Amino acid sequence: MTEAEPLRRLCRDLGLRRTTTPLLVHASLSGTGMSPLLVRNTLLAALGPAGTLIVPAFTPENSDTSNAHKVRTEDMTEQEKVDFRASMSPFDPDATPCHSMGALAECVRTTPGAVRSAHPQSSFAGIGPRAAELLSGHDPHCHLGEQSPTATLYDADAQVLLLRVGFEVCSAFHLAEYRTRPHARRRTYRCVVGERGNWISYDDVALYDGDFGAIGARLPRELTVEGEWAGKTVTFFRMRAAVDHACNQMSGLGRGMT
């Protein structure tokens, strides 16, 4: 048996087939013994030559309003915080790494010919024939809403693979936050961009993923297929029905509404 065979078999069992429908993957490879390059190639082989692989390439490190920044600076003095902010690297879509998204995401982002969307905090990266189409037009003032690849992937009814991670990190559910009624509350975000390190600020939906695990657990069983790889659960589903159900749940909960 080859090193990749368990993952190949899992893809077949989950129903992942050669298709033009894009695949959005969140993954944790720690403990699998497989390199991100081999995982990437195995997923691409399962999709076939017409398939497109998409990953989140988020970069919260270049924002001073992100939770990552707050954790990093919570024990600093006020002057240390000022100095740290001044030293923060601006977002460069061609060069800024996305280490917090995991090894597979960084592998896809750095693949020759990969495409990355333009948002300085919530970009996506992709490889395959539809990557440019799916990732273009990402409004820098819209994290994961109607002017982002999340909406484009929804329109394409993308396949979603949670590879050894839970619904807690399911970026597709953020689109539901934009679609709740009444509308979700909004907040101000700031991040540093461009060659000169300019800071920009913008208002957008106050994103919250603290209940995504519970929302995922309440999805109808017929919407998801589960498997296991290297001792952890893998979940496969189509994006449109899952987001619609999540939106209904969020609207019913009245979470974060104004």
Side-chain angles (χ1 to χ4, degrees):
M1 180 185 295
T2 65
E3 184 181 1
E5 183 56 30
L7 182 56
R8 290 195 192 101
R9 189 185 309 118
L10 174 66
C11 289
R12 291 194 299 268
D13 292 345
L14 292 173
L16 184 58
R17 301 287 186 266
R18 293 190 166 211
T19 180
T20 60
T21 303
L23 176 68
L24 173 63
V25 181
H26 293 263
S28 172
L29 304 187
S30 177
T32 66
M34 280 184 68
S35 71
L37 182 63
L38 186 53
V39 173
R40 181 202 69 184
N41 291 346
T42 302
L43 294 174
L44 287 173
L47 291 171
T52 299
L53 176 63
I54 306 292
V55 294
F58 303 166
T59 50
E61 299 82 5
N62 78 316
S63 168
D64 68 350
T65 54
S66 69
N67 288 332
H69 180 84
K70 292 174 183 177
V71 171
R72 177 66 178 82
T73 61
E74 63 183 354
D75 293 326
M76 292 184 180
T77 66
E78 289 306 312
Q79 186 58 52
E80 287 173 335
K81 290 179 181 179
V82 170
D83 294 341
F84 181 79
R85 185 177 187 274
S87 70
M88 289 168 60
S89 298
F91 176 74
D92 178 347
D94 295 326
T96 301
C98 59
H99 294 310
S100 62
M101 293 294 101
L104 178 63
E106 184 66 2
C107 177
V108 171
R109 183 194 73 81
T110 56
T111 298
V115 177
R116 190 179 197 179
S117 70
H119 196 281
Q121 291 177 255
S122 301
S123 66
F124 290 82
I127 46 180
R130 299 186 65 186
E133 163 207 344
L134 293 163
L135 302 185
S136 65
H138 195 167
D139 188 329
H141 294 171
C142 178
H143 279 283
L144 298 164
E146 305 300 342
Q147 288 78 49
S148 79
T150 318
T152 308
L153 289 165
Y154 174 93
D155 290 341
D157 198 14
Q159 306 170 102
V160 182
L161 184 64
L162 302 179
L163 194 59
R164 303 179 77 248
V165 296
F167 280 98
E168 291 82 1
V169 300
C170 179
S171 59
F173 280 177
H174 283 298
L175 180 61
E177 294 187 284
Y178 288 79
R179 296 181 173 182
T180 54
R181 294 294 183 273
H183 293 295
R185 66 182 182 87
R186 300 175 70 86
R187 55 163 286 197
T188 298
Y189 296 89
R190 289 188 303 270
C191 56
V192 58
V193 300
E195 294 182 0
R196 298 184 179 181
N198 295 321
W199 283 84
I200 63 170
S201 63
Y202 57 96
D203 289 335
D204 198 10
V205 165
L207 300 175
Y208 173 71
D209 58 12
D211 56 0
F212 281 11
I215 289 172
R218 289 192 291 264
L219 291 178
R221 293 185 63 84
E222 62 268 21
L223 295 186
T224 63
V225 182
E226 289 191 356
E228 184 179 299
W229 180 44
K232 290 191 177 181
T233 300
V234 177
T235 307
F236 180 67
F237 58 95
R238 297 299 285 264
M239 181 173 173
R240 192 177 297 159
V243 168
D244 288 348
H245 200 279
C247 185
N248 289 336
Q249 289 191 51
M250 291 178 189
S251 296
L253 292 171
R255 61 195 282 282
M257 305 301 175
T258 57

